[in-house]
Every structure is written in structure tokens, then in C-alpha cells.
Amino acid sequence: MVELSTRISQIQASPTLAISAEAKRLKEEGRDIIGLGAGEPDFETPQHVKQAGIEAIQEGFTTYTATVGIKKLQGAVCTRFKEDKGLEYQTDQVIISTGAKQSLFNALQAIINPGDEVILPVPYWVSYPEQIKFAGGRPVKVKTAEEDGFKLTAQQLKEAITPQTKAIIINSPNNPTGAVYTKQELVELAEVIVEEDILVIADEIYQKISYEQDAISIAALGPKIKERTVVIDGVSKAYAMTGWRIGYAVGPQEIIAAMGRLQSHSTSNANSIAQRASIAALLGTQEPTLEMKEAFDQRREIIIEGLNQISGLKAIKPAGAFYLFVNITGLVGKTIAGQEVTDDQKLAELLLQEAGVATIPGSAFGQPGYLRLSYAASEEQITEAIKRINSLLNN
């Protein structure tokens, strides 16, 4: 029997991808499944972006590029960061990767030494703890409260910091809760971060999908916090380009350079055609993104109203992204479809098998007793899913 490395043996498979795969399998068997599990916009990539990709192919732009990305795309990232986030960077502070997930992976590999601690507000995106562990670090999970909007407080951060603390991951707008930190909340966190001299990984992949207010980058709060922050972003969510696999990291030049060295020995450059398409996304009209956000906003109203009328379910209104984090503790112990709801995972299983609705259990995000539902689905699908959920839970 082959003995696997200790490092890989402690890494768990992505539960969100596993549930999405199961939903897809049931669909292929002929089941009528409504997918509210995937974190993927259900919109087409904008036409002008597709056209840029086609032109790249036709022009023969299909060879290797610089490992860190083509200069024009790095410049486009700088332009968007200045216009959208109020942040100024040079191109040597930008790396283009195969998706924001790789940018995050590279950043953690570049800054974490064995035994370093990384503070992780709970609930968290499923890949954070696994990537921290793969880098040799230890995730320090700090549970946030629903009554605080699932947002880490400055006091919680201060209490979690030890001599081994190297960094904190801040994800705003948040996956899975949709929470968006206010400027004042970020200012308070930044004061602790600067005082304690730790680093920040700011995952801002959903920043252009924020409803009541524009999401703010913590790096924009001043030079001291900026020099400690690596911002992770990409085109997947804001431009409906998940399959194009283009993400980027922006931050201190020495960290970005280290990430580039790692990338040169792993994936090399990101896809050349997708890089050209991403330039069109970033520098072209932003109207498709705004239209997509408006559609998500309408769907947000439908799903929050519908689910909060179902006995046993309770959710606070998300301020960003396209997820609803639903408290299901009122259903634990009840019998549904002849089976006891022992936990959130059991309820997710029942919803998929009995109602044909795919969701993600909150335990996958470190928060048992909840379900994450994506409203990156049509209004018709969301309405039908609410009916199915209500029918299953109230029969």
C-alpha cells in the first residue's frame, strides 16, 4: 500500500464541490434537482469579454506568458483597484494566478512557517483551514456571533493573538454569511493588526457584489495597514467568469515576488487566452456586473422573505455576495420524511434526496446548525425551491 505524505493526509476534500458533484450525479440520473449549493453566478460571461478571448485565439495568443501575468492585465488590475478600492499599486505588486484560490494558496505558502498561527473567523470559506494546514500553519478558529452579524470584533481579535500569530484572514463580503464589514469595524480591526504587527490576507473576491453600501478594502485605511495586507481578488464572481480561472493577488512587492517564485514551479502562468479576456472584463464596461448585482439583490429579497416564513428556519439578511446562511437549530431533533434531523448535515441530505434541493451544511464552514443556500439561481428556481423546502418541512 502506498504511504501518502503526512501533509496531504491531513487535507480534507472540498465539501462544497462534493455536494455539487452529488447533485450533478442525481441530475444525470434524471432527478429534478435545484442547485442552491454552488458558489457560481448563473449568468453568461459578458459578450465583449468572450470576444476578447476569441480574438486572442485568432491572433495566436496561445503561448506561455510571464509567470506573474501579462503586463497589460497587471496594469488593468491596478486600474480597477484605484477606481474601485481607492488603492494605488505598481504592476510588480500584482500576480495573476489560476483563480483566486491559487492566489490565496500561494500567499499562505509565501508567508507561513511551520507552527505559525493564522486567525480564522468562523464561519469561514471551506478552503481556508486546509490551505493553512498545507502551509504548515495552524488555523486558530474564532467563532463569531449571529447577533454580531457573523463579524469578528476587535476585542475577539486581540484576545486570539499569541506570539505565534502570523496573520488573519478577513473575507468581506463573506462566504458563507454574506456579511460585509463597515469602515468603522475595519478601522478597529486594523488598529489591532498594526499594533500587534501581524499580516492580513484580505479575500475580496465578492467585493463588487455588495448591496446596501460599497464594500471597503481594509488595505485602503492607511499606509500602515496597507503594507501588511495581501488582497485576493479575481474575475470569477464579478464578471461571471468562474471557468476562465483568473485570480490575482496584490500586496507588498516582496510577498508577491515570493508567490511568483512558487508559481513558477507549480502552474507557471495562468491561461493566456483567459488573461486577455480578463483585460476586457476589467477595463471594459462594468454595466453587466451592475445588472448582475441588481438581479442578485432581487433574488435576495425573494429568498430571505420566503425562507424566514418557514417554521424552524431563521436567517439574517446578507449584505453582500449571493449566499443566505440559515439557522436550522429549530429543526434539530424533529422527524422529517420519517427520519430524525440529527444535525445540519442530515437536513442537507434530506433536502437533496427528498425535496431535490441542493444546499451546503454549515458544518462545512465550521458552523454547525446552519445551511448555506446560494441565490445564484433564477427567481423561478428560488421560488420553486422555497415551495419544496416548505412542503418537506411542514408535512
Side-chain angles (χ1 to χ4, degrees):
M1 182 177 178
V2 175
E3 183 178 353
L4 297 175
S5 71
T6 302
R7 185 172 50 200
I8 201 66
S9 296
Q10 67 179 340
I11 304 301
Q12 303 298 313
S14 169
T16 55
L17 294 181
I19 291 169
S20 295
E22 175 63 11
K24 183 178 180 181
R25 186 188 68 79
L26 291 173
K27 277 187 178 182
E28 290 172 348
E29 290 181 354
R31 292 282 303 278
D32 179 16
I33 303 296
I34 298 175
L36 301 184
E40 178 171 43
D42 61 322
F43 292 87
E44 286 280 334
T45 300
Q47 186 58 41
H48 69 283
V49 178
K50 293 181 186 178
Q51 187 59 40
I54 292 169
E55 290 173 2
I57 295 171
Q58 291 173 335
E59 294 169 11
F61 194 76
T62 56
T63 57
Y64 293 128
T65 73
T67 296
V68 295
I70 58 179
K71 189 70 76 173
K72 191 170 182 181
L73 180 53
Q74 291 175 300
V77 171
C78 292
T79 297
R80 282 264 65 86
F81 267 60
K82 185 175 182 180
E83 293 184 6
D84 297 343
K85 305 174 191 277
L87 284 164
E88 292 202 29
Y89 289 97
Q90 303 302 311
T91 55
D92 65 355
Q93 295 177 284
V94 180
I95 183 171
I96 311 300
S97 302
T98 305
K101 185 181 285 189
Q102 189 195 12
S103 295
L104 175 69
F105 183 90
N106 289 347
L108 288 167
Q109 291 289 330
I111 67 172
I112 300 301
N113 285 310
D116 283 347
E117 295 177 349
V118 180
I119 294 173
L120 200 54
V122 180
Y124 46 74
W125 180 50
V126 296
S127 291
Y128 293 151
E130 306 308 315
Q131 291 196 7
I132 292 166
K133 288 187 290 184
F134 195 83
R138 186 173 80 86
V140 176
K141 301 173 182 179
V142 181
K143 189 173 182 180
T144 62
E146 185 173 350
E147 53 268 30
D148 291 331
F150 293 113
K151 290 185 277 190
L152 185 74
T153 67
Q155 184 61 36
Q156 285 180 302
L157 173 58
K158 196 168 186 65
E159 291 174 355
I161 291 173
T162 73
Q164 286 72 47
T165 303
K166 186 64 174 287
I168 176 175
I169 296 179
I170 297 176
N171 176 210
S172 175
N174 180 267
N175 175 10
T177 67
V180 177
Y181 285 82
T182 66
K183 182 177 181 179
Q184 183 56 38
E185 289 165 342
L186 289 174
V187 165
E188 292 172 3
L189 291 173
E191 288 174 351
V192 177
I193 290 162
V194 171
E195 179 185 344
E196 299 290 342
D197 194 22
I198 62 174
L199 298 171
V200 184
I201 303 288
D203 184 348
E204 299 176 358
I205 190 66
Y206 295 98
Q207 194 165 56
K208 293 179 81 71
I209 307 173
S210 182
Y211 306 109
E212 277 75 32
Q213 60 185 12
D214 288 339
I216 297 167
S217 176
I218 193 170
L221 298 178
K224 290 184 178 180
I225 188 66
K226 181 184 176 186
E227 68 187 15
R228 291 171 170 80
T229 303
V230 176
V231 181
I232 308 294
D233 207 335
V235 298
S236 292
K237 314 298 183 179
Y239 302 100
M241 293 177 67
T242 52
W244 295 79
R245 306 312 302 134
I246 296 292
Y248 33 86
V250 177
Q253 195 276 331
E254 60 270 30
I255 296 177
I256 299 301
M259 293 169 64
R261 294 196 298 273
L262 170 60
Q263 190 163 295
S264 73
H265 292 293
S266 56
T267 58
S268 299
N269 62 275
N271 180 283
S272 59
I273 300 156
Q275 288 192 62
R276 280 276 294 271
S278 297
I279 294 169
L282 295 175
L283 298 184
T285 176
Q286 301 298 294
E287 192 61 32
T289 299
L290 296 174
E291 291 173 357
M292 187 168 63
K293 186 175 80 168
E294 289 174 6
F296 285 144
D297 196 5
Q298 293 172 12
R299 298 170 184 185
R300 178 178 67 137
E301 298 294 339
I302 294 169
I303 197 168
I304 190 77
E305 181 180 357
L307 288 180
N308 274 338
Q309 290 180 0
I310 299 174
S311 178
L313 302 181
K314 180 169 69 75
I316 58 176
K317 194 172 186 178
F322 38 71
Y323 306 110
L324 190 66
F325 207 53
V326 184
N327 188 324
I328 60 93
T329 53
L331 295 173
V332 174
K334 294 184 178 295
T335 299
I336 295 173
Q339 300 181 57
E340 182 185 356
V341 178
T342 52
D343 53 25
D344 56 304
Q345 295 184 59
K346 183 62 178 180
L347 182 59
E349 177 190 326
L350 286 168
L351 287 172
L352 180 59
Q353 298 295 338
E354 302 294 331
V357 178
T359 64
I360 309 292
S363 52
F365 307 97
Q367 186 74 50
Y370 291 78
L371 292 180
R372 190 196 78 174
L373 282 71
S374 167
Y375 48 93
S378 69
E379 291 185 14
E380 293 75 18
Q381 286 179 310
I382 292 170
T383 301
E384 175 61 23
I386 292 168
K387 288 180 182 177
R388 293 184 186 186
I389 294 169
N390 186 47
S391 177
L392 177 67
L393 300 186
N394 287 297
N395 278 345

